[in-house]
Amino acid sequence: MKATDATRYFFDAAAERLELSESIRDLLLMPLREVQVQVTFERDNGELASHVGFRVQHNKSRGPMKGGLRYHPDVDLDEVRALASLMTWKTAVVNLPYGGAKGGIGVDPRSLSYRELERLTRAFVDQIHDIVGPDTDIPAPDMGTDYRVMGWFRNQWEKYHGFNPSVITGKPVEEYGAQGREEATGRGVGTLTTKLLKRLGHKPEDSKVAIQGFGNVGSHAAKFLHEAQFPIVAVADVSGTYFNADGLNIPDMLRYMLNHPRQSLEGYDKCDVLPSGAVLWLDDIDVLIPAAIGGVINVENSDAISASVIIEAANEPILPLADKRLADRGVTILPDILANAGGVTVSYFEWVQNRQHYRWSLDRVRQELDKTMSDAFENIWQIAQQHEVSLRNAAYMVGIKRVRRAAELGGWT
Ligand code: NAD
């Protein structure tokens, strides 16, 4: 199934409930602009390398478009298109004054040296600098990109347009980045996991957690939940699934990963090590947090999941038919457009600080993030109860309704 078919399925389920006409559905689904570019740079050995880059700007009814940049070999136009539309609903669900966009390059960043990564990024900016900007489209980090990439992006963009750090978020803290941006997505995942389990009547210390992905999102979610007394029994990255039925030593694993040359858990030997994919199918798990790539849970493998709660920290980890099958089994799913909105929320705070030339403390960032995420969660929870629908359906209904209203107030075009 294509990524856009999956987002379309969830969109249609909510649009049905909202009784949207076909013409409004078309207007809300169709991206405003899609750009595909050649990204050519010089490798360290003097050879040229060319990759395909994309930026999809989906909707700007609620404000400048916002969305991450992904560097991954599987990046293609369909995936970027789907992720751009998710950003439109996500920014609306947490009520940020933004629309949605996404971009990326079909490249494996782990195959590049530090300087090659920089040259690739600068070459990408050369191709798309005129369609992004602080009032039009503001990129941010996603899978395979980080604060260094954001710093190079800003520097290259400013060569064309002059000083304006609010063109991109997720920058280094020393270079107009916001304190708390790096941890924000994982922290938001942790905050909402705690709130959801409380609503469901589960205690943290009795809720065994498994996390797929130990990068930016997965590692910060693990840290937050470990500190909140959840036993984290499994974490996985591309190198394997690291398992201890009595709970892993997360601070030790974080130290190990951060000191590893590829920021991996490869070689960590203070627990059992299973194949990477095993994390999804472990017995006796209460909370499963996919925090790596999309499409990992499908209708064939969903029955093997033991968890009764799934938190979608990654974008689109569950395909539509699996979503239905899991719901029929009584599994509660916290959808991506709510669960992982902490990152774009603190990106918004970074953009606001840049525009005001003013710096917030880490405490303030955390307080405002917790409030934004908690308010959005309570709203979606109430709507799900009221309409007797899933949390995903409720989140899509809220997001779509807000975007539709803004489009209408703006005169539709
Ligand atoms: P990252 O590149 O920092 O980390 C990805 C992690 O997933 C790594 O540990 C990697 O080893 C692991 N991984 C990749 N493929 C895997 C596989 N097949 N099995 C097991 N582990 C695998 O990426 P990230 O920024 O943490 O993003 C993770 C997900 O969260 C993505 O879906 C992204 O779109 C989503 N997301 C990220 C942010 C953000 O602020 N970074 C915000 C919202 C959503």
Side-chain angles (χ1 to χ4, degrees), residues 22 44 49 70 77 85 91 148 160 163 180 187 202 217 229 241 247 255 272 295 305 337-338 355 375 379:
E22 274 305 312
D44 291 341
R70 179 176 287 197
L77 182 57
S85 73
T91 52
R148 299 168 310 170
Y160 291 97
F163 174 81
R187 184 180 174 87
H202 302 312
V217 180
Q229 310 302 320
T241 291
R255 269 193 303 276
D272 294 338
I305 288 174
I337 56 172
L338 174 59
R355 307 205 74 153
D375 288 353
N379 182 35

Side-chain angles (χ1 to χ4, degrees), residues 183 186-187 190 211 214 217-230 232 235 250-251 254 258 366:
E183 69 174 20
R187 184 180 174 87
I211 304 177
F214 205 58
V217 180
S219 68
H220 283 291
K223 180 169 182 282
F224 185 96
L225 291 171
H226 174 76
E227 286 168 4
Q229 310 302 320
F230 286 83
I232 316 282
V235 300
I250 296 297
L254 285 167
L258 290 171
R366 285 178 168 172

Side-chain angles (χ1 to χ4, degrees), residues 70 142-144 181 185 214-217 237-238 276 291-292 314-315 340:
R70 179 176 287 197
D142 191 69
M143 210 156 73
R181 171 60 185 88
T185 310
F214 205 58
N216 175 292
V217 180
D237 67 9
V238 280
S276 178
N315 284 311
N340 68 31

Side-chain angles (χ1 to χ4, degrees), residues 70 72 83 90 102 110 141-145 181-182 185 212-218 236-239 263 276-277 279 291-294 296 313-315 340-341 343-344:
R70 179 176 287 197
H72 191 276
L83 292 169
K90 191 181 300 182
K102 200 83 179 188
R110 290 173 310 166
D142 191 69
M143 210 156 73
T145 60
R181 171 60 185 88
E182 205 174 309
T185 310
Q212 182 190 43
F214 205 58
N216 175 292
V217 180
D237 67 9
V238 280
S239 69
Q263 307 231 308
S276 178
V279 68
I293 50 172
V296 288
N315 284 311
N340 68 31
V344 70

